[in-house]
Amino acid sequence: MVDRAGDRTWSLICILGAHHAVAQIDRSTLKTASYGWRPFIYEEVSGGTKSINGLDTRLANLAFSNIGYDVLYEGETSWNKLLDDLKKGKKDIVISALKRPDREAFGYYSEEFRRSVNVLFVPRGASENYSLKNVDDIMKMFQKQSFRLGVVDGYSYGQKELDAYIKSSENEDKIVKADTDTELFNLLARKQIDGFLIDQIVGADISYKQQFQDIAEEYPLRISELPYYILFSKKSKQVTPELVQQFNASIAKLKDNGQYNKLVQQYLFPVLLGFTTGQKWYFFVELTGVVSFAVSGLVMANREGYDLFGALVLAALPGVGGGVLRDMIAGRATLGLMKAPTYMMAVIITVLVGYTLIQLVGFWNDRIRKEPFKFQASVSSLSEKTFGAVIELLDTLGLSTLSIIGVIVALETQSSPLWLWGPVFAAITSAGGGIIRDMVRADPNNPSLKGSFYPIIAIIWGFIFSMFIIWYSSQLNYYPDEIFKAVMVIIAGSFVTRVIAIFLSLKMPLFAYQPSQSRKDQARFKLPAYETGEAGGEVGE
């Protein structure tokens, strides 16, 4: 009986193993390669391990996986080499290809799965030297001004005249070819070209992440708006017209069930938003808000008798404490504060300078000045009111910018749903540090939790911004300039709402609020007397 049981067990293992092997064999593999086109397809190294990432990569992987195919990325190569391998059947697919007549001879095209825009980048400040309204104006400029144009070798830029101009042997001395888009930025930095053509989002990504914003700028003209496809090799044994149709159906399903939108939010919107928030003006506004938080904490530390370290704590928490708390909740691998120490340095400098000035003023009042100035009290009162108004104004700028950062972090950490975590992180980033500061001070009347309209403004505008992103991610085209406009609307809306709340003294209704009671008694709840006639008791003390 034991032997028979053992035989049955072994037979079952063999059957399961054979079934697993068949399942592995049934999944076919499609070969391709990366060509360094961030954020759509690129190679990255994490923990010593190389992997292929990007929006188009993830979309292709998911769509092919749903129909029983795995995608094998055989390293990173140039665009021309990848196309040549596809022609010969060495590669099965090319991800993110434009439709051109010469390519239809050796490949099948999928249906359009994404759109993109090509633009012209020029040296920073050079845009004002040109007056270009369309592609014809650009072509005339290229021809008349001996414009040295940078392009990626083998790329099509979606305009017949432009592509013909680049290929023409007559223009060889004016066309500078590079293997990657990043190389184009370096050529512009070395003044070896006068400008270059590039995908708008790719340009925004490189400019923001590799700190080229002081070197290059996008000329405000969309040269071409292009649909992108998956290109299948006709010489590949794995590829059939039926496979192309299955892929098209799989991509359509991803768009219908929302997975397409989530990937767009994950890969493209941090780039688009980062391009805007990485501008110097945004950094200045955000830094101004952080410094205003620090000044308010410093004034509080002086009034309540804290030492220098205590002043540093009270000054730092409102400006950077909310971001730290947000990153811990979101599970960010590296805290944003560690990536951008400038804000903490600004807080430290503000505290040291402020502490020194306060000490000098105190010494002057106590030791040097013997008699008070005339009208000292009224002047002091007026100065304090003016100072408070200025701090409120600067603090409002901080609220506007930090709220946007909170939504960006929700995107980067894939916190879902965005309509929930975007507003939550906006409120934590802008108001969380102030709440922690008042908890450290053991303030029983924590204003952010007892009537202040401040965190609600962050929630409202964070929600509006999150809903805009959710809607915009369902489109085929994504433009940095439209994201910039949306950011400006959110900043302006937050700022105006905060000013109105201050001017009208708007407050959130308190729990069990009773106008006739004093602030001290508002925490009590009067229970009505029961039928026994006993007096109502009091709880909540």
Side-chain angles (χ1 to χ4, degrees), residues 105-394:
F106 58 83
Y108 300 111
Y109 278 99
S110 71
E111 292 181 359
E112 172 187 341
F113 76 95
R114 183 179 60 78
R115 289 198 171 196
S116 198
V117 171
N118 281 323
V119 294
L120 176 69
F121 268 69
V122 295
R124 170 66 64 180
S127 292
E128 59 188 24
N129 299 330
Y130 306 110
S131 180
L132 309 173
K133 297 180 180 179
N134 49 48
V135 176
D136 290 339
D137 290 342
I138 291 178
M139 297 300 300
K140 291 177 183 177
M141 179 189 69
F142 289 164
Q143 294 168 351
K144 292 181 179 180
Q145 298 186 11
S146 298
F147 192 96
R148 296 172 300 170
L149 178 65
V151 298
V152 173
D153 191 18
Y155 274 20
S156 170
Y157 292 95
Q159 288 283 345
K160 291 182 179 179
E161 299 84 356
L162 191 56
D163 287 340
Y165 176 83
I166 293 170
K167 287 183 176 182
S168 175
S169 58
E170 297 178 1
N171 303 316
E172 286 182 358
D173 58 330
K174 294 185 289 186
I175 302 298
V176 180
K177 296 181 179 180
D179 289 330
T180 65
D181 291 297
T182 302
E183 188 178 339
L184 292 174
F185 277 92
N186 290 321
L187 289 171
L188 190 70
R190 295 195 296 265
K191 299 183 179 180
Q192 294 177 325
I193 56 176
D194 300 310
F196 58 87
L197 299 172
I198 194 170
D199 179 279
Q200 190 177 37
I201 295 178
V202 174
D205 181 80
I206 297 173
S207 177
Y208 166 59
K209 292 185 177 177
Q210 300 191 30
Q211 302 298 311
F212 282 114
Q213 290 173 320
D214 292 335
I215 296 171
E217 68 181 9
E218 176 191 327
Y219 188 82
L221 174 64
R222 297 169 186 169
I223 294 175
S224 56
E225 188 171 304
L226 307 171
Y228 279 89
Y229 309 84
I230 302 296
L231 184 59
F232 296 78
S233 173
K234 288 184 177 180
K235 283 195 174 182
S236 169
K237 295 180 180 179
Q238 300 282 1
V239 173
T240 63
E242 290 74 23
L243 172 61
V244 179
Q245 294 176 4
Q246 290 175 358
F247 174 82
N248 292 337
S250 185
I251 281 287
K253 186 176 181 180
L254 293 179
K255 291 182 178 181
D256 290 339
N257 63 24
Q259 289 180 289
Y260 181 95
N261 292 3
K262 289 181 179 178
L263 287 174
V264 168
Q265 293 171 20
Q266 177 185 346
Y267 283 96
L268 296 194
F269 278 85
V271 173
L272 295 169
L273 291 167
F275 185 70
T276 297
T277 58
Q279 303 289 336
K280 285 186 175 180
W281 68 266
Y282 192 95
F283 169 76
F284 176 76
V285 171
E286 190 176 20
L287 187 64
T288 301
V290 171
V291 170
S292 72
F293 287 137
V295 171
S296 65
L298 182 65
V299 171
M300 197 173 291
N302 177 56
R303 288 176 176 173
E304 299 179 7
Y306 285 78
D307 61 14
L308 180 60
F309 179 74
L312 180 62
V313 171
L314 296 189
L317 282 175
V320 300
V324 172
L325 177 62
R326 173 207 64 214
D327 290 346
M328 292 174 65
I329 294 174
R332 240 179 167 184
T334 303
L335 299 180
L337 180 63
M338 304 302 167
K339 294 181 181 179
T342 305
Y343 302 106
M344 192 63 197
M345 292 170 61
V347 171
I348 294 173
I349 293 172
T350 300
V351 170
L352 292 177
V353 172
Y355 180 81
T356 302
L357 290 176
I358 290 173
Q359 294 299 97
L360 290 175
V361 170
F363 180 79
W364 169 266
N365 287 336
D366 293 343
R367 301 294 180 87
I368 305 299
R369 195 176 67 201
K370 302 298 183 181
E371 296 181 2
F373 293 133
K374 196 173 183 180
F375 307 120
Q376 176 184 346
S378 61
V379 171
S380 175
S381 176
L382 179 61
S383 299
E384 186 172 345
K385 289 180 180 179
T386 303
F387 176 78
V390 171
I391 291 297
E392 286 274 18
L393 187 64
L394 296 179

Side-chain angles (χ1 to χ4, degrees), residues 444-479:
N445 294 314
N446 193 317
S448 293
L449 301 178
K450 291 190 175 182
S452 173
F453 212 67
Y454 193 90
I456 301 302
I457 295 174
I459 290 175
I460 292 172
W461 287 100
F463 177 77
I464 293 173
F465 194 39
S466 299
M467 292 305 295
F468 165 78
I469 291 173
I470 292 171
W471 168 79
Y472 198 50
S473 65
S474 65
Q475 311 301 305
L476 282 176
N477 302 335
Y478 315 101
Y479 306 116

